[in-house]
Amino acid sequence: MVDQLVSKVRTGKRQSLKASRLAFGSLMTKKWRTSTDPDITRINSDVMAGVLRLYHENFTEINDRMFTMYCRFFSETCYAFLDRGKVVGYCVFFVKPVFSYSHIYKTATLYSLAVDSEYRGHGIGERLLRKGIREMKLNSVSCISLYVSTENMPAIRLYRNLGFRILRELDDVCGPGLKCYEMDMKPGQNPV
Ligand SMILES: CC(C)(COP(=O)(O)OP(=O)(O)OC[C@H]1O[C@@H](n2cnc3c(N)ncnc32)[C@H](O)[C@@H]1OP(=O)(O)O)[C@@H](O)C(=O)NCCC(=O)NCCS
């Protein structure tokens, strides 16, 4: 009984810490400076159903609540690629603060990226990521990180092309029993 209570309090504390970090990160995207790409829009309620369709088609570890929460908190850094009104790709970044002795830095994580299987190999994934990286640079985000399965060669090649480097290999982050790479890049040093 006491153990359960302690565990609940601990979980509650972790969740409220996470929520306050999210809220802080979201505040850091106010007055966000944008770049234009005529085919890319921000993820809003008009395109959410199409984005969720792609999310479900491409991933097995589904968490709709988390996904839509990131899209709502980080409306400035969640992008959808449209072809004649149809959502054919999306990428979702969230921004979080990193506190140092004298500064608060902005860092970002690529939370999810997918392109409709019928539209792959035409540069859509690259355009979505380039837009994100360009805006991170414009808004002084110091680092973008991501996790990718070590077997996902198309995605790894795409990330490498855009200047991401592998930091380390980890277990169970991309799904139970899966090995993945943690990768990162510094938008300020990238000629996007
Ligand atoms: C990864 C993904 C987003 C790439 O989207 P895409 O629009 O097809 O990618 P692009 O056409 O922009 O390709 C850009 C680069 O990615 C790499 N790439 C893309 N598809 C590839 C493939 N099938 N094999 C090898 N490399 C590939 C190439 O380096 C390519 O550049 P190049 O053609 O000049 O060599 C897409 O394959 C996808 O949605 N996969 C399923 C979801 C997923 O794995 N998401 C990433 C999770 S971390």
Side-chain angles (χ1 to χ4, degrees):
M1 182 74 176
V2 175
D3 284 352
Q4 276 177 348
L5 196 64
V6 170
S7 153
K8 266 193 175 173
V9 170
R10 281 202 180 128
T11 310
K13 264 191 175 170
R14 266 202 305 273
Q15 282 173 349
S16 64
L17 193 66
K18 195 163 182 198
S20 55
R21 275 201 155 208
L22 273 184
F24 199 151
S26 151
L27 275 179
M28 292 180 116
T29 63
K30 297 293 165 231
K31 299 193 179 155
W32 189 252
R33 297 173 67 196
T34 59
S35 70
T36 46
D37 181 319
D39 297 314
I40 300 178
T41 177
R42 298 211 138 53
I43 297 179
N44 53 33
S45 53
D46 297 340
V47 297
M48 186 53 108
V51 169
L52 283 173
R53 174 187 64 83
L54 281 185
Y55 173 55
H56 282 242
E57 282 172 8
N58 283 284
F59 299 99
T60 47
E61 299 281 307
I62 298 292
N63 188 337
D64 277 352
R65 201 180 68 85
M66 192 74 117
F67 188 93
T68 47
M69 188 177 74
Y70 281 129
C71 293
R72 240 182 321 113
F73 266 95
F74 297 97
S75 53
E76 297 291 354
T77 58
C78 297
Y79 313 98
F81 193 105
L82 302 187
D83 177 43
R84 283 160 289 166
K86 180 185 177 196
V87 178
V88 296
Y90 73 80
C91 74
V92 169
F93 294 92
F94 62 85
V95 173
K96 54 181 187 201
V98 171
F99 301 95
S100 86
Y101 167 63
S102 55
H103 274 86
I104 302 174
Y105 296 97
K106 281 182 231 169
T107 65
T109 301
L110 176 64
Y111 177 69
S112 189
L113 162 74
V115 171
D116 190 318
S117 55
E118 310 237 314
Y119 286 77
R120 289 194 192 146
H122 295 289
I124 294 176
E126 184 170 330
R127 267 173 73 186
L128 280 162
L129 281 180
R130 277 194 189 281
K131 179 169 166 73
I133 295 167
R134 218 178 295 127
E135 292 194 358
M136 299 296 162
K137 189 171 175 175
L138 274 174
N139 292 280
S140 309
V141 170
S142 57
C143 179
I144 306 174
S145 53
L146 61 85
Y147 299 92
V148 57
S149 158
T150 54
E151 287 167 16
N152 192 345
M153 288 322 290
I156 294 168
R157 271 190 69 170
L158 171 59
Y159 299 144
R160 276 189 184 279
N161 279 355
L162 291 174
F164 283 87
R165 65 196 172 121
I166 293 173
L167 288 181
R168 58 193 168 133
E169 196 176 304
L170 297 162
D171 290 317
D172 300 325
V173 176
C174 294
L178 280 181
K179 288 197 178 302
C180 79
Y181 293 128
E182 181 179 6
M183 301 181 82
D184 82 354
M185 63 106 69
K186 310 261 180 281
Q189 293 168 12
N190 199 288
V192 278

